[in-house]
């Protein structure tokens, strides 16, 4: 019983049972009392520590309540937990503190949007109209698929803007594409296998890897996903970004789209998940049609979001399901409630119905086009070491850096200037995708007036090293 030689202080004001509880808990968490160990009886421990049995009993009861030990009738108390409980290490807290202390001046994250041009007055007007006593029913739970008025507006918008064929009954509204994807995984079960673009939107592969489903990386080239590789695979569902591949920015050409649709049509359990995350923002030529608009066999699950086009924090996304899958959804997930505020849904529905959403999109296309053009102009003087790709749409470009610095070195040099950038390798499933360093440079969230300074500071650190390096080699 030396393991319980706790130093109980009878004069510090802390109840003895709390001191004993804390002592035993520490012994368990630090591994000195191992899993399955039988603890001393209440009588023996009370005699050993010169305390009452009630004190020991209170301590044991608290440990039972928190799941550290269990009491078995006529046998005693046994340890349930082990050293893995100590999952927060001081060194992690220390490192995290150091990281958060650095103030980032410019963040080139590809998901950042322009907040300066948001129509605050219009949004406030519709919010005021919705939040009234007459609409008190909105305080209650609504339709599990989302508010019909919003699904109706989304269906109309998708048909006009993206050629998507759907009705309000085919749409499910959820708090982010990630939430909707997880619901979809539950619908098809754990036997379905998935293929995802590599490199691609890394959150999708991370979500899938948390389920028993098998996940396979699908390589891409400058035209998007290599569809031919699917023929010899056991993949059931393919996740793609055909109108604007993330992160390369390429458009999946018509011949590959047709091959992909034919592949899906070849088996009743095959489907394509089309993530149309920022298709509204194309700056050259016409908007690229959605893959779903080419699908006549109901093989495409269409994902869309208002995070890029309006407000990321509102967390309103939507999923258009083929009718066969909608039947499965209603059977398996009938207990799910919509994860988005009904009030926010009605505000957005009114915003769309009055035509303000379309006006906002038209205005923001001009804003982001100017930012894209300015970014490209600012990068021109550095063409010796920077090659740009993916500059026809969206909020980011891909920079291929040719100055002999690794991605890690590029990121660290940016951090020294209080700038945060994102290497392409962080969006790759299987190790390093290419030896040539690439940076995903998101310009959407940088104020237009500050782009010159932001890009200038970023490139300054890279080019100073580059020209010094050349000078040293020449001598």
């Amino acid at each position: 019983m030396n393991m319980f030689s706790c130093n109980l202080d009878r004069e510090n004001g802390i109840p003895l049972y709390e001191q004993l509880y804390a002592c035993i808990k520490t012994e368990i968490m630090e591994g000195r009392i191992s899993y399955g160990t039988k603890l001393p009886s209440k009588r023996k421990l009370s005699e050993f520590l010169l305390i009452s049995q009630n004190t020991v009993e209170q301590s044991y009861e608290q440990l039972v309540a928190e799941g550290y030990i269990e009491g078995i009738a006529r046998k005693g108390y046994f340890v349930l937990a082990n050293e893995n409980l100590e999952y927060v290490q001081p060194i992690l807290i220390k490192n995290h503190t150091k990281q958060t202390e650095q103030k980032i001046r410019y963040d080139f994250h590809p998901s950042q949007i322009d907040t300066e041009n948001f129509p605050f007055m219009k949004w406030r007007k519709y919010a005021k109209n919705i939040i009234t006593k007459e609409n008190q029913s909105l305080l209650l739970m609504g339709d599990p698929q989302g508010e019909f008025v919003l699904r109706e507006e989304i269906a109309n918008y998708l048909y006009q803007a993206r050629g998507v064929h759907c009705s309000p009954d085919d749409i499910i509204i959820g708090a982010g594409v990630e939430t909707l994807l997880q619901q979809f995984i539950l619908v098809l079960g754990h036997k379905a296998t998935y293929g995802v673009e590599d490199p691609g939107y890394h959150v999708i592969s991370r979500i899938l890897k948390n389920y028993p489903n098998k996940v396979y990386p699908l390589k891409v080239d400058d035209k998007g996903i290599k569809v031919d590789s699917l023929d010899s695979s056991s993949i059931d569902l393919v996740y793609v970004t055909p109108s604007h591949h993330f992160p390369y920015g390429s458009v999946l050409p018509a011949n590959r789209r047709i091959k992909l649709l034919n592949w899906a049509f070849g088996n009743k359990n095959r489907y394509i998940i089309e993530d149309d995350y920022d298709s509204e923002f194309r700056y050259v030529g016409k908007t690229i049609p959605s893959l779903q608009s080419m699908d006549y066999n109901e093989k495409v699950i269409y994902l869309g979001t208002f995070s890029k086009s309006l407000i990321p924090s509102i967390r309103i996304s939507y999923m258009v399901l083929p009718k066969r899958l909608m039947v499965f959804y209603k059977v398996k997930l009938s207990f799910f409630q919509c994860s988005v505020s009904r009030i926010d849904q009605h505000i957005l529905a009114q915003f769309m119905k009055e035509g303000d959403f379309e006006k906002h999109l038209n205005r923001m296309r001009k804003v982001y086009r100017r930012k894209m053009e300015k970014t490209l102009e600012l990068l021109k003087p550095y063409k010796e070491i920077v090659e740009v790709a993916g500059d026809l749409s969206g909020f980011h470009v891909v920079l291929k850096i040719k100055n002999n610095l690794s991605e890690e070195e590029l990121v660290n040099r940016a951090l020294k200037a209080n700038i945060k950038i994102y290497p392409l390798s962080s969006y790759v499933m299987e190790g390093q995708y290419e030896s040539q360093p690439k940076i995903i440079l998101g310009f959407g969230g940088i104020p237009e007036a500050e782009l010159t300074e932001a890009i200038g500071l970023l490139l300054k650190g890279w080019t100073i090293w580059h020209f010094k390096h050349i000078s040293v080699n020449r001598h």
Side-chain angles (χ1 to χ4, degrees), residues 179-199:
T179 298
L180 292 169
L181 180 63
Q182 291 183 78
Q183 292 180 19
F184 180 76
I185 293 171
L186 294 176
V187 170
L188 291 191
H190 296 154
K191 291 184 179 180
T193 58
Y194 291 81
V196 298
E197 297 168 326
D198 187 29

Side-chain angles (χ1 to χ4, degrees), residues 149-184:
V149 290
L150 179 55
R151 287 187 282 127
E152 190 174 37
E153 291 300 325
I154 291 173
N156 291 335
Y157 166 72
L158 289 179
Y159 180 73
Q160 298 295 331
R162 306 295 300 126
V164 172
H165 305 281
C166 69
S167 72
D169 293 334
D170 303 325
I171 298 173
I172 298 167
I173 294 171
V177 167
E178 300 84 1
T179 298
L180 292 169
L181 180 63
Q182 291 183 78
Q183 292 180 19
F184 180 76

Side-chain angles (χ1 to χ4, degrees), residues 22-64:
C23 174
I24 298 174
K25 177 182 173 181
T26 300
E27 296 290 301
I28 292 172
M29 294 180 71
E30 294 183 358
R32 289 188 287 274
I33 305 179
S34 60
Y35 174 83
T37 300
K38 181 180 179 181
L39 300 183
S41 68
K42 291 180 283 188
R43 181 182 61 80
K44 287 184 179 180
L45 189 56
S46 66
E47 291 176 354
F48 180 74
L49 295 176
L50 302 177
I51 57 178
S52 71
Q53 287 190 41
N54 286 339
T55 298
V56 177
E57 185 174 12
Q58 281 184 284
S59 302
Y60 280 4
E61 286 178 352
Q62 185 62 34
L63 290 165
V64 169

Side-chain angles (χ1 to χ4, degrees), residues 447-473:
E448 186 177 350
E450 298 179 36
L451 273 172
T452 301
E453 181 179 27
I455 293 177
L457 287 172
L458 175 64
L459 271 296
K460 182 179 179 181
W462 295 349
T463 51
I464 287 177
W465 184 92
H466 175 68
F467 290 121
K468 281 184 177 179
H469 181 73
I470 291 176
S471 177
V472 170
N473 287 343

Side-chain angles (χ1 to χ4, degrees), residues 158-287:
L158 289 179
Y159 180 73
Q160 298 295 331
R162 306 295 300 126
V164 172
H165 305 281
C166 69
S167 72
D169 293 334
D170 303 325
I171 298 173
I172 298 167
I173 294 171
V177 167
E178 300 84 1
T179 298
L180 292 169
L181 180 63
Q182 291 183 78
Q183 292 180 19
F184 180 76
I185 293 171
L186 294 176
V187 170
L188 291 191
H190 296 154
K191 291 184 179 180
T193 58
Y194 291 81
V196 298
E197 297 168 326
D198 187 29
Y201 183 42
H202 60 303
V203 174
I204 301 302
S205 58
R206 288 178 183 177
I207 289 173
L208 287 167
K209 285 185 176 181
N210 282 288
Y211 291 86
N213 304 75
K214 292 181 179 179
V215 185
Y216 298 98
L218 298 172
K219 295 302 180 185
V220 300
D221 56 22
D222 59 351
K223 294 181 181 179
I225 186 174
K226 296 181 178 179
V227 182
D228 291 338
S229 63
L230 292 172
D231 294 331
S232 59
S233 73
S234 60
I235 292 171
D236 300 311
L237 295 104
V238 175
Y239 170 89
V240 290
T241 51
S243 296
H244 184 219
H245 172 263
F246 184 88
Y248 280 155
S250 58
V251 175
L252 194 66
N255 62 333
R256 292 196 187 187
R257 291 180 176 228
I258 293 171
K259 283 184 180 179
L260 188 57
L261 289 168
N262 287 337
W263 167 85
F265 186 62
N267 187 304
K268 69 174 184 177
N269 294 320
R270 290 177 183 169
Y271 289 95
I272 303 161
I273 303 174
E274 177 183 14
D275 189 346
D276 209 23
Y277 67 102
D278 69 351
S279 59
E280 297 91 349
F281 301 100
R282 183 168 176 79
Y283 313 122
V284 177
K286 295 179 64 176
T287 301

